[in-house]
Every structure is written in structure tokens, then in C-alpha cells.
Amino acid sequence: MRNPRQGRPNRVTISDVGAAAGVSASTVSRVLNGTTKVDPSLAARVHDAVRQLGYRPNAAAQGLARGEWGTIGVLVPDLANPYFPEVLKAVSAVARSHGRRVMVMESDEDPSIEHDLVEDLMRSCDGVLLCSPRMGRADLVVLTARDHPLVLLDRIVPGLAAPAISADFFGGMMLICGHLAQLGHRQVAYLSGPEVSWANAERIRALEAAKAFGLSVTILPCGSTSSCGYAAAAEVAGTGATALTTYNDLVALGAVTRMRELGVRVPEELSVVGFDDIALDHVAHTGLTTVSTPRGQLGRQAAEMLETLMTERHDGEPVYLPMELHVRDSTAPPRVTREPAE
Amino acid sequence: MRNPRQGRPNRVTISDVGAAAGVSASTVSRVLNGTTKVDPSLAARVHDAVRQLGYRPNAAAQGLARGEWGTIGVLVPDLANPYFPEVLKAVSAVARSHGRRVMVMESDEDPSIEHDLVEDLMRSCDGVLLCSPRMGRADLVVLTARDHPLVLLDRIVPGLAAPAISADFFGGMMLICGHLAQLGHRQVAYLSGPEVSWANAERIRALEAAKAFGLSVTILPCGSTSSCGYAAAAEVAGTGATALTTYNDLVALGAVTRMRELGVRVPEELSVVGFDDIALDHVAHTGLTTVSTPRGQLGRQAAEMLETLMTERHDGEPVYLPMELHVRDSTAPPRVTREPAE
DNA sequence: CTGTTAGCGCTTTCAC
DNA sequence: GTGAAAGCGCTAACAG
């Protein structure tokens, strides 16, 4: 019952093709890669042989010989987060335009395997795009010291030997705070994202800064999913907040759902703001006020940075991409404006 | 400004390690792979050298020498569809348990590049999982004839030289029809998925079969996203349908949103049924009646089939995984039961 | 233009 | 146990 070719698929090699076409392996290679002019009649014979034998070049052998894989690797924490597919599409487009394919790996938010995955990616890709909000700084230092093209996505860590690009989370949250303050809100709650997430820290940093404008902020531990938001929403009432900010749109939507169930009207009794502007168009029946992450540009530019790094081997300054405020239906002036004085 | 190592990162080779440790390359290999007993003191020296030099084996060279990549490839049409991340997580878990990593590629619903991507995957993976609802039969035949481990996901095509596994879409839609019929519905509309999709054809096949039970079905062209559902929803009124079935949950949710805007009450005036049971928990405020795809099991079992195929080189019968009906709040008896007679 | 000759970095007999 | 040598399949000088 066992197939004789067991364990070694695609056994037809470039020499087989050469033999079949009556030429040398190098000629086959030349025809296939178009590196040198080849006699048209020979080329035709080669193509025939390729087709007949179903020959496909072995990627490992090519990689070895060329010293290049023709591939870039991307590590993302969680494919289920709608944030990433959009980034990935942009990355793929850029990569393809440079003749490279994209290999995606998911760490599933598990920091313990993340390091290994990156190493794997480095061993089999020309460059890697690393999106790892929670990896410890120590690991990051080790990885970026590897002298392998690597760009950091949505995480800026000073002093690392790798270029980085990120949405300006701090600026985005400032936009939100400004909007809320201008509506007259003073007491704000924040449903916090993952503890050790850099992106979350940036949001909190902005919240802190906003205190200078008279905003008083209560931070509630939460998470990054709609279920987290749903679960944590009940806590908000106790804080006396008239407005709720969140780690992301998913959390916000979860919170809105819960608020509805609790009989709290949004935005009349409580303003709710998201983050990321994930297009859940026509799914969530809430026009959520939020800030948008430029995911396409993020992916595009990150990929370009990596490409530059791979060919020219020098990096630049970290870049922050601005976010944009979208005021929709989930924010309004507070019902009763409380005096800032306690 | 140019880095001297330009174009060739990771230049430290196994021989470098050997030299540093005062042993041969073969010994280093043996230590690293644990293939043979090696003197502990030598092993220690090797490990030190590895650490010192930051050595990482070159994946291409390993692949070439071993005739194995230690990788399986997965091609999915669209990562933005929440359906796939769940499948992928299951696939990854299985692959990892077999010591293989997973490389994901997205075809972005573009059939023209899909074939190439699969070929790429075949050239650099030990096996591939292909999820391609729209690829033409001809391409499929070519690909599956390649004598390279390949399993088809969510698509059963008779006569192909590759094992296949799929959710039982036909059965799922039958469940829905049964539910609707028992509620008393007679006129049903269907918001159809992508034209050439096999999964869509299966659903339609079930709808046709349901006619035997007195259901009369109008098929409306639509698509697979919530926006499509939103856009197509207006057409439903004209069909006289009392119940609406859809290609998937996203479409259903989009339709529900539109219905609300149009003042059509769900389920009182129109029952709506989804497909897939994508957990948009706490995001959509609709308890959508739907059937669930066993995504985890699908991924798990597909990965196992592939693993078997890679090691034992023989395939089995196509397998259909049953779907399950979840009756929630979006379906109810029709307001006025029309007589089947015209 | 085309064939021959060396490797790319690693694993794996094969001798010692 | 360990080293030397051959070879995985391909590309890239190098000669003709």
C-alpha cells in the first residue's frame, strides 16, 4: 500500500529535465531564470521537458545556492483580531511587487513560543516583520542583535538595533481625550488592554497626560476582546464616569452590548469610545466613535522598510503614523456636567 | 554606509561552530540533533560555541540535506474572514505536536495567483492544506496530480487524487430548512454566496432538495461579507419570503442591520438564519439562529490527514463533518402562514 | 551561447 | 565516539 516515493515528493530534478531536453542542467536553470540568452529552440525543448516531467525547482536548493529565500516572514499575535488581516494584505502586496512571498506565523499570544517562532522565521526568510506587543525587552534585544533584517511593528523600543513603525497610539488617545473634554466630560473610565502590552501603555500614557486638561481617569483591567469588554462593563458604573474609553473597538462594542442590557443608554447616559476603527460595518448596530489606525499604510510602509533593510542594510528613525478621530453616534455631552472640584 | 555582510545574514556556519569548539562539523550536527551519543564534554563545548557565535542552522541547507522542510503550508482565501483563524489555530497545534511549523498564505480571493501560491507552497513545504472554494476543477486536477501531499479543505471534488475534508454544508442547510419548515415557513429567500464557490453550491443543493418538503426558494445573488448582506437585503421584500437564509453569518448580520433600518422586524416579520456560527459574541446584538461549522475539528482533522499522507502516503475517503443547528432569537413562525397553493 | 566545475550549509554513511 | 567525505538540488563563475 505504500507509495514507493515515500517521504520524497517532487523527485524530478533539474538534471532530469536537462537529460530529457538533451541539455545541461545549467541551461535549464538559465531558461527558467532568464539570466542569460538561450537558443530559442533549446529553450522550447526545456519548457517541454519541464511540463512533461512536472518539474518544480526545489526551494531549499535554490535558497541555498542563491543565499536568498525570496520570502519575508511576519509574526502576528492573533489572526483572529481583525486588525491584522488588513495589515497583512498590504504587506503581501508590497512583498509581491518585490518578487517575494509572505509567510505568516501566529504566536497565539503565547510569549513562550514567540521567540522560537521568530528564530524560525529568521532561519527561513530574508527578513521578518515582528508584531509582538508583549515580548519582553530582553528577548527583543537578543533578536534584534542577530544581524538579520527585522522591523518592529506597532512597538517602538528605544535603543534597539532594528527599525520600527507604529501607529501613534499616544496621539490617538489624545485625540479621544480632547474630544471628550470638549464635550464636557470630566470623569472618564478606561477599559485597559493586556497588562504588558506596549500599545496599551501608550494609551494609558496619553490618559495620564490628559489629566492636565482636567480629565480624571479611572483605569479598569479588561483585555482585548469583546467578551472582556462585555464582562468588565459592569464595573464602569461604580467609577462615576460619564465617558468610557477602551483598548479597542471590540472591547467597546462588548461594553456597549452590556450597557444596553443593564439599561444604560449610550450615549445619553454614557459616552463610549473605541480604538482602531475596525470596520464591523453593518454588523454592529452602533456608530462607534473611535480613532482609526492606518492599517494599510502601516503594512505597506513596514514592508518597504524591511525591503530597504534587506537590500541596503541600513535603518532609519522609528516612524509614527498618525491616527484619525471619527466622531459618530456613541459620544455626546454628559447628562449632568459635574464640577471638577471634588 | 553599506554593511559588509550585505545580502547574507547569518553567516556563521556549522563549521565555524565546529572550529570554535575544536570539533568537526559532524559532531556539531550530532550534538544539535541528538542523533548519536556524543561525549558530554564535547557537547558542552559545542553548546557554548553555538551560544557565543549566535549560530542558527540554515533552514534551506537542512531542508536540502534532510529532504524535508519541517513545515506545512496552508492556503486560505481570506484571512479577514473569522472562519479561518479558528481553523488555523487547530492546524498549528497539530502541526507543532508533530514538530512542524505552519506557513500561511492568503490568496485574497484572487484565483489567478492561487495556483502559483500553491506551487510555491509545494516547493517549500512537506505538505499543503488547500482551502480554495473557487479554484477551477482543471487547476485542481493539475495540482493534485503533483504527487505532493495535499489535502483539500472544505471542498469535496470526486475523482481527485487527494483526500478531502469538509463541513457538511449540505447537511447544515438541510437542518436550517427543516427548522424553517417546522416553524411553518413556505416562502424562503437565500442570499447566495460567491458564484463559483463549491460551499455555496452545496447550500443551494440543499435548498433545492428542501423543495420536496414544500419549501419554495428564491435565490438572490449576494456575496460573503456583511456589506453584501446589507446591500442585498432590500431585495428580499419583493420575493414574498417570510424567512431569509444566507451564505454565512456575516451576510445575515448585514441583512439584519438593513432590515432594522427598513423597519422590518426580525423575527416577527422576517426570520433570518445565518451559517457558520461565527462567534461575534457581544458585538452583534442579535441572537442569530444559525448552524455551526466545527472549525476546530476541521482544522485538527485536516492536519492529521495531511500528516498521515506525508508519512504513510495513502489517503482515505473524503470526510464530512456534521454541522449543528443553534436556534436563537432571529427565527420565529411566520406572521401569516400562506397556503402553499398559489 | 552552452557545458563543466565548484560550491551554498547541512546531514549522513563510512571508516577509524 | 568522532572525523572525513559524499551528496541533497540548484546557481554562478569559468572556460570554451
Side-chain angles (χ1 to χ4, degrees), chain A:
Chain A
M1 252 304 170
R2 293 186 148 231
N3 184 312
R5 300 226 221 152
Q6 215 266 32
R8 295 250 178 176
N10 189 25
R11 300 279 19 220
V12 17
T13 77
I14 198 170
S15 320
D16 297 337
V17 176
V23 300
S24 74
S26 353
T27 298
V28 177
S29 171
R30 288 193 268 255
V31 172
L32 263 29
N33 298 305
T35 41
T36 316
K37 289 271 72 79
V38 173
D39 186 287
S41 74
L42 288 197
R45 266 160 45 204
V46 168
H47 280 124
D48 282 356
V50 165
R51 200 153 316 126
Q52 226 114 70
L53 277 54
Y55 168 73
R56 281 161 302 135
N58 178 314
Q62 273 184 321
L64 230 207
R66 296 212 259 242
E68 252 206 2
W69 284 260
T71 303
I72 74 170
V74 186
L75 183 70
V76 299
D78 179 23
L79 281 176
N81 186 334
Y83 187 95
F84 296 109
E86 276 190 72
V87 175
L88 286 174
K89 279 186 213 304
V91 170
S92 297
V94 173
R96 187 166 359 264
S97 81
H98 288 283
R100 291 203 163 82
R101 47 226 149 89
V102 175
M103 157 167 183
V104 180
M105 286 200 185
E106 178 186 21
S107 65
D108 216 5
E109 309 270 10
D110 183 348
S112 67
I113 66 167
E114 224 164 34
H115 189 107
D116 287 344
L117 290 180
V118 177
E119 296 263 9
D120 264 351
L121 245 19
M122 284 182 165
R123 298 182 331 100
S124 48
C125 299
D126 297 321
V128 0
L129 225 52
L130 175 56
C131 184
S132 170
R134 14 239 297 215
M135 182 180 286
R137 203 195 133 84
D139 276 318
L140 242 25
V141 170
V142 171
L143 254 19
T144 53
R146 285 273 193 247
D147 182 38
H148 189 108
L150 176 307
V151 354
L152 236 44
L153 191 62
D154 274 349
R155 175 147 184 190
I156 312 280
V157 182
L160 282 189
I165 180 170
S166 172
D168 182 7
F169 299 127
F170 177 88
M173 189 53 97
M174 282 309 262
L175 252 24
I176 291 175
C177 289
H179 170 60
L180 257 19
Q182 291 194 29
L183 283 176
H185 293 276
R186 290 295 172 267
Q187 293 283 347
V188 175
Y190 173 60
L191 293 186
S192 175
E195 283 266 358
V196 290
S197 152
W198 177 80
N200 186 51
E202 285 288 288
R203 289 162 173 73
I204 291 179
R205 208 160 61 77
L207 256 3
E208 301 288 348
K211 287 183 179 166
F213 294 85
L215 243 46
S216 162
V217 182
T218 310
I219 295 177
L220 266 19
C222 180
S224 60
T225 67
S226 53
S227 309
C228 296
Y230 182 89
E235 313 284 322
V236 175
T239 68
T242 59
L244 176 63
T245 63
T246 56
Y247 178 68
N248 66 23
D249 287 350
L250 258 19
V251 169
L253 258 9
V256 167
T257 299
R258 189 61 198 280
M259 287 306 171
R260 256 182 224 199
E261 292 176 10
L262 294 173
V264 178
R265 301 175 59 205
V266 174
E268 293 81 358
E269 296 173 68
L270 181 76
S271 287
V272 176
V273 188
F275 207 100
D276 281 350
D277 195 25
I278 280 171
L280 250 18
D281 23 72
H282 314 313
V283 169
H285 313 138
T286 314
L288 191 67
T289 294
T290 191
V291 286
S292 62
T293 330
R295 293 180 286 281
Q297 199 193 339
L298 206 53
R300 222 161 14 249
Q301 209 159 329
E304 294 290 10
M305 287 171 77
L306 186 56
E307 192 65 36
T308 304
L309 196 61
M310 291 186 295
T311 56
E312 302 180 13
R313 290 254 131 184
H314 69 285
D315 52 0
E317 287 297 293
V319 0
Y320 287 91
L321 263 27
M323 302 189 70
E324 228 171 77
L325 179 69
H326 297 280
V327 177
R328 296 203 266 256
D329 314 321
S330 67
T331 47
R335 211 166 200 177
V336 181
T337 305
R338 307 187 180 204
E339 288 310 305
E342 180 62 6

Side-chain angles (χ1 to χ4, degrees), chain B residues 115-135:
Chain B
H115 190 108
D116 287 344
L117 290 180
V118 177
E119 296 263 8
D120 263 352
L121 246 20
M122 284 182 165
R123 298 183 332 100
S124 47
C125 299
D126 298 321
V128 359
L129 226 51
L130 175 57
C131 184
S132 170
R134 16 237 299 211
M135 182 180 286

Side-chain angles (χ1 to χ4, degrees), chain B residues 14-299:
Chain B
I14 198 171
S15 319
D16 297 338
V17 176
V23 300
S24 74
S26 350
T27 298
V28 177
S29 171
R30 288 193 267 254
V31 171
L32 263 30
N33 298 305
T35 42
T36 315
K37 289 272 73 74
V38 172
D39 187 288
S41 74
L42 287 197
R45 275 175 20 219
V46 168
H47 280 126
D48 282 355
V50 165
R51 201 153 313 126
Q52 226 114 68
L53 277 52
Y55 168 74
R56 282 161 302 135
N58 178 314
Q62 274 184 322
L64 229 207
R66 296 212 258 243
E68 253 206 2
W69 284 261
T71 303
I72 74 171
V74 186
L75 182 70
V76 299
D78 179 22
L79 282 176
N81 186 334
Y83 187 93
F84 296 108
E86 277 190 71
V87 175
L88 287 174
K89 280 187 214 302
V91 171
S92 297
V94 173
R96 187 164 2 264
S97 80
H98 287 285
R100 291 205 163 83
R101 47 225 151 88
V102 175
M103 156 166 185
V104 180
M105 286 200 185
E106 180 186 22
S107 65
D108 217 5
E109 309 270 9
D110 183 347
S112 69
I113 65 168
E114 223 163 34
H115 190 108
D116 287 344
L117 290 180
V118 177
E119 296 263 8
D120 263 352
L121 246 20
M122 284 182 165
R123 298 183 332 100
S124 47
C125 299
D126 298 321
V128 359
L129 226 51
L130 175 57
C131 184
S132 170
R134 16 237 299 211
M135 182 180 286
R137 201 195 135 83
D139 275 318
L140 241 26
V141 170
V142 172
L143 254 18
T144 52
R146 285 274 193 248
D147 183 37
H148 189 108
L150 176 307
V151 353
L152 236 43
L153 191 61
D154 274 349
R155 176 150 183 187
I156 311 281
V157 182
L160 245 37
I165 180 170
S166 171
D168 181 7
F169 300 127
F170 178 89
M173 188 54 97
M174 282 309 262
L175 252 24
I176 291 174
C177 290
H179 170 60
L180 292 177
Q182 291 195 30
L183 283 175
H185 293 276
R186 290 294 173 268
Q187 292 284 347
V188 175
Y190 174 60
L191 293 185
S192 174
E195 281 266 358
V196 289
S197 152
W198 177 79
N200 186 52
E202 284 289 288
R203 290 162 173 74
I204 291 179
R205 209 159 61 78
L207 255 4
E208 302 288 349
K211 286 183 180 167
F213 294 85
L215 244 44
S216 160
V217 182
T218 310
I219 295 178
L220 266 19
C222 179
S224 60
T225 67
S226 52
S227 310
C228 297
Y230 182 89
E235 312 285 322
V236 176
T239 68
T242 58
L244 177 63
T245 63
T246 57
Y247 178 66
N248 66 23
D249 287 351
L250 258 19
V251 169
L253 257 10
V256 168
T257 300
R258 188 63 198 281
M259 286 307 170
R260 254 181 226 202
E261 293 176 10
L262 294 174
V264 177
R265 301 177 60 205
V266 174
E268 291 82 356
E269 297 173 68
L270 182 76
S271 287
V272 176
V273 188
F275 207 100
D276 280 352
D277 196 25
I278 280 171
L280 250 18
D281 22 74
H282 314 313
V283 168
H285 311 139
T286 314
L288 191 68
T289 294
T290 191
V291 286
S292 62
T293 331
R295 292 180 287 281
Q297 199 194 338
L298 206 52

